[in-house]
Amino acid sequence: MNKKINAFLSRHNFPVSLNINDVVEAVLYDMDYELKNTGVHKGQEMIRTYMLPPEASLKNESVIVIDAGGTNFRSCLVSFDENGIPSISDMEKCAMPAVDRELSKKEFFDQIAFNLEHLKDKATKIGFCFSYSMTITSDGDCIVNSFSKGVKAPEVCGCKVGASLKEALLSHGWKKIDRISLINDTVAALLAGASLKNKGFAYSSYIGFILGTGMNLAYIQPSIKDILDKQIIVCESGNFNYLSLSDFDKAMDSKTTRPGYHLIEKQCSGAYLGPLALEVIQCAGREGLFSSAFAKELLDMKELSLIQLDSFLHAPAAFKSTNATEEDKCVLYQLYDAIKRAAV
């Protein structure tokens, strides 16, 4: 059975094994190339943030905090006491705008304003974690380069997020907004780690790595003479594209919102593993790896979620299908198991 499955995967250029050191070297080369060739994005974008971790925390002040991720939109109030110790209140979570349908620029920011209604005028500063490809500007705002993770708001691309959100909030009756500062989730993770240095967790440097709905990395780049000062760099790692694509990856990519973009992200992050697995098992069904009855069941499937994939791998004996033979279940397990690239 293993030979049959390995032959099937190899026939479709799906790597059964991978030399991780070769991948690391390619990623590092791409990072260095992009840093020294600004504006020529062949892979990772290496976005400058013009910031470093702050030396001290805020004191006796509250800030509205927003997190726009791949699936959820979260917002809350973070209040710092006289010792700079933060506390969180007024937390709410809802769906990320423009995932269920395409929104115009105005609709997109109006929806965010609606989501923030419970925080109206509770602070004049807003920290916005915006987890998409963007160009950070020196004033702390950002310009959206592109969306991933299924967000459909093309009119927002090329716009300043902070300025557009401020306009929307004021039109919804907010009295005063002093500043909206934009970062993405990798920078937020890095800053969260760096904030613990006063508690004894002090290190020579810090990184922020996110692998969930999408994939990305931020780190502190030392200064490069005549090129850039020391600062946090957002790699946009999901754009790394020097890995070969299997037939399954190509088929899945062709059905995404932006074919040809965020290729390594599509190969291993959560938003895409379900659709990728569906391509694999339906191809296997067409090529005779399953019994005819179970193959028909698989080919009739319209979607496959990461939750279903994960549930089967954790408890294959609980899988219910009147058409699947024991051999079918074994083949399905091994195909699903081969897709666990993020664990390699």
Side-chain angles (χ1 to χ4, degrees):
M1 186 179 297
N2 286 334
K3 291 180 180 179
K4 177 173 68 172
I5 291 171
N6 286 339
F8 166 74
L9 294 173
S10 297
R11 184 162 65 249
H12 292 282
N13 302 308
F14 191 97
V16 178
S17 62
L18 193 66
N19 187 329
I20 194 63
N21 291 325
D22 290 344
V23 178
V24 169
E25 289 299 319
V27 169
L28 292 175
Y29 171 82
D30 185 52
M31 291 169 64
D32 185 65
Y33 177 87
E34 295 289 345
L35 276 178
K36 295 176 181 177
N37 295 272
T38 306
V40 185
H41 298 313
K42 293 185 177 180
Q44 299 168 94
E45 295 180 29
M46 306 304 289
I47 298 167
R48 292 156 169 75
T49 66
Y50 307 99
M51 71 173 70
L52 287 166
E55 293 299 320
S57 174
L58 291 177
K59 295 181 180 179
N60 298 312
E61 189 172 353
S62 294
V63 179
I64 293 169
V65 174
I66 312 168
D67 172 36
T71 305
N72 298 308
F73 182 95
R74 302 176 181 89
S75 55
C76 67
L77 188 71
V78 178
S79 301
F80 297 86
D81 65 15
E82 65 275 10
N83 297 313
I85 305 300
S87 61
I88 297 173
S89 63
D90 301 279
M91 169 73 82
E92 285 195 6
K93 181 177 76 171
C94 55
M96 179 64 195
V99 170
D100 58 337
R101 61 189 180 90
E102 183 172 313
L103 297 181
S104 67
K105 175 188 172 183
K106 184 178 186 306
E107 289 172 330
F108 183 80
F109 288 105
D110 278 345
Q111 182 62 57
I112 293 179
F114 177 79
N115 293 346
L116 298 178
E117 191 67 24
H118 66 294
L119 296 168
K120 181 183 286 187
D121 297 328
K122 293 189 176 182
T124 61
K125 294 179 181 177
I126 298 175
F128 194 168
C129 179
F130 193 74
S131 305
Y132 300 92
S133 174
M134 59 188 184
T135 299
I136 301 291
T137 56
S138 57
D139 61 356
D141 206 336
C142 81
I143 298 171
V144 182
N145 297 326
S146 62
F147 281 111
S148 57
K149 311 168 195 174
V151 172
K152 299 174 280 293
E155 285 186 13
V156 178
C157 296
C159 298
K160 274 195 167 186
V161 171
S164 300
L165 177 57
K166 182 176 181 179
E167 180 182 349
L169 292 176
L170 293 174
S171 72
H172 281 245
W174 288 54
K175 294 177 182 177
K176 184 181 180 182
I177 301 168
D178 290 332
R179 181 180 177 85
I180 300 178
S181 300
L182 273 293
I183 58 174
N184 78 352
D185 51 356
T186 58
V187 178
L190 186 154
L191 294 176
S195 71
L196 298 175
K197 65 182 179 181
N198 294 329
K199 296 183 179 181
F201 297 95
Y203 303 97
S204 60
S205 193
Y206 300 85
I207 64 169
F209 177 63
I210 303 293
L211 180 61
T213 305
M215 186 187 85
N216 201 3
L217 170 74
Y219 72 103
I220 301 175
Q221 168 65 44
S223 61
I224 301 176
K225 185 178 180 180
D226 300 327
I227 295 180
L228 81 165
D229 297 326
K230 182 179 180 180
Q231 61 187 275
I232 298 172
I233 297 290
V234 178
C235 297
E236 284 303 323
S237 306
N239 286 341
F240 179 73
N241 58 6
Y242 289 89
L243 292 177
S244 60
L245 296 181
S246 71
D247 296 344
F248 315 125
D249 292 295
K250 292 176 182 177
M252 187 269 294
D253 176 52
S254 70
K255 299 172 185 175
T256 61
T257 306
R258 300 192 73 210
Y261 290 86
H262 309 104
L263 294 181
I264 196 172
E265 179 174 286
K266 291 173 181 174
Q267 288 179 292
C268 63
S269 61
Y272 305 100
L273 288 182
L276 175 64
L278 184 61
E279 295 291 344
V280 172
I281 62 175
Q282 288 187 334
C283 181
R286 290 190 294 269
E287 295 190 10
L289 272 71
F290 297 108
S291 65
S292 58
F294 188 52
K296 184 180 185 308
E297 179 182 326
L298 295 178
L299 291 169
D300 287 340
M301 290 175 63
K302 301 302 181 184
E303 60 182 18
L304 175 65
S305 71
L306 181 58
I307 293 174
Q308 291 172 289
L309 173 63
D310 184 69
S311 297
F312 181 86
L313 287 172
H314 276 88
F319 178 70
K320 302 297 182 184
S321 170
T322 56
N323 297 313
T325 65
E326 287 304 310
E327 182 174 329
D328 285 334
K329 294 178 184 178
C330 289
V331 172
L332 187 64
Y333 184 93
Q334 291 188 60
L335 290 175
Y336 280 172
D337 189 58
I339 296 165
K340 296 191 306 180
R341 290 164 163 165
V344 174

